[in-house]
Amino acid sequence: MSEALPLMLKELRLPAFGQHYQKYQDHAAENAWSYSQYLAALCEQEVAQRFQSRISNWTREAKLPRGKSFATLALNDLPQSVQKQIILLRDDTQWAHQADNVLLIGPSGAGKSHVATALGMHLIEQGIRVKWMPATALVQLLQQAKKELDLMTAMTRLDKYRVLIIDDIGYVKKTDSETQVLFEFIAHRYESGSLIITSNQQFSQWDQIFPDTIMTVAAIDRIIHHATIIEIDSESYRRKNQKKL
């Protein structure tokens, strides 16, 4: 029976059991562990290994930009009010479970995408599934799905991500086909999943994205209803960091 144990553990998909059961068996004998202690130690290894595997898989599928994390974020270069907002979002991730949104607004190079990426990486480490998409790529995906009469399916597939990061929403072209699918996606996502959106345009300029005032107001209302709005209007974050080099 003992010879068949590795095969049975493989069949049961318990790789950590297979890797550690002999080592823990010796340790259990030396320390007079009970059966439950021995089993609990193996279960801890299995749970830890599955968690690390899931984090690795989720990080790979999230497609987050490389090199942008809280470890590389020069948080002190941002205004104190902005720092407090970011720290609160980092330290209490309940907002993601409640389908609240985060809006990062500011000029190009202000650090919006870095903050969004850092939050995304942190959320994954907290067991929250995330996906990064440039706004133009998201719109192209949705447009193609609509042409194939499969828009709802495409939007539903994205529901598996608790948090979707839409980068540079201001680069979406103001055409009926593009803005219509974007609006439909925002409406679909409303109160069901979180969005982190970066924009180099203030809300007053969002009429350059959507074709009419009614749609602009409706989109903004849905996004900001449950949202943290972070405005970064200081000197360019990128320029500050270049000065330090």
Side-chain angles (χ1 to χ4, degrees):
M1 180 66 73
S2 61
E3 291 80 4
L5 185 56
L7 291 175
M8 290 189 289
L9 292 174
K10 185 177 180 179
E11 181 68 21
L12 290 170
R13 298 182 181 178
L14 296 170
F17 273 60
Q19 293 169 18
H20 299 287
Y21 80 92
Q22 289 181 318
K23 178 182 70 175
Y24 278 33
Q25 178 178 287
D26 296 338
H27 193 74
E30 292 171 3
N31 294 275
W33 280 3
S34 65
Y35 291 123
S36 60
Q37 286 177 304
Y38 174 56
L39 181 60
L42 286 173
C43 287
E44 285 178 5
Q45 287 292 329
E46 190 67 43
V47 169
Q49 187 165 311
R50 290 189 182 195
F51 176 78
Q52 289 302 323
S53 178
R54 184 169 69 248
I55 296 303
S56 178
N57 291 336
W58 285 3
T59 300
R60 187 165 51 252
E61 74 171 0
K63 302 292 185 182
L64 294 167
R66 293 179 180 273
K68 295 182 178 182
S69 65
F70 279 116
T72 60
L73 177 65
L75 195 59
N76 291 333
D77 286 344
L78 298 172
Q80 285 193 350
S81 59
V82 171
Q83 292 181 41
K84 290 178 181 178
Q85 288 178 296
I86 294 170
I87 291 170
L88 183 60
L89 291 170
R90 180 194 67 190
D91 293 349
D92 183 1
T93 58
Q94 190 60 33
W95 59 273
H97 295 287
Q98 295 174 343
D100 292 351
N101 300 323
V102 176
L103 277 295
L104 292 156
I105 300 173
S108 177
K112 305 182 300 298
S113 295
H114 196 146
V115 173
T117 305
L119 284 172
M121 180 59 68
H122 180 70
L123 289 169
I124 291 172
E125 291 169 352
Q126 300 303 308
I128 298 171
R129 208 167 180 181
V130 173
K131 181 70 172 177
W132 169 284
M133 294 193 77
T136 51
L138 173 63
V139 166
Q140 288 171 6
L141 173 70
L142 298 176
Q143 277 186 303
Q144 184 61 37
K146 189 166 186 176
K147 288 179 182 177
E148 297 171 358
L149 304 179
D150 208 22
L151 180 59
M152 182 55 68
T153 301
M155 293 193 295
T156 302
R157 285 197 194 102
L158 293 172
D159 287 346
K160 67 182 179 182
Y161 301 106
R162 171 59 59 180
V163 177
L164 187 71
I165 302 173
I166 304 177
D167 192 43
D168 286 329
I169 196 172
Y171 286 102
V172 174
K173 297 177 182 177
K174 187 177 178 179
T175 64
D176 287 343
S177 60
E178 289 201 7
T179 54
Q180 183 63 43
V181 292
L182 179 60
F183 178 79
E184 289 185 53
F185 180 73
I186 291 171
H188 170 80
R189 193 81 179 177
Y190 178 58
E191 294 189 325
S192 66
S194 294
L195 297 173
I196 298 177
I197 298 175
T198 72
S199 174
N200 57 12
Q201 296 174 318
Q202 297 291 328
F203 290 130
S204 60
Q205 298 174 303
W206 278 33
D207 58 355
Q208 298 175 28
I209 302 173
F210 297 98
D212 59 64
T213 302
I214 294 175
M215 187 178 290
T216 302
V217 172
I220 292 173
D221 281 349
R222 284 167 172 77
I223 292 171
I224 70 173
H225 184 204
H226 304 289
T228 298
I229 301 172
I230 301 176
E231 296 190 55
I232 308 176
D233 58 2
S234 61
E235 181 185 359
S236 168
Y237 174 87
R238 188 180 299 136
R239 191 160 58 245
K240 278 186 177 182
N241 282 277
Q242 286 174 342
K243 288 179 181 179
K244 294 178 181 180
L245 299 177

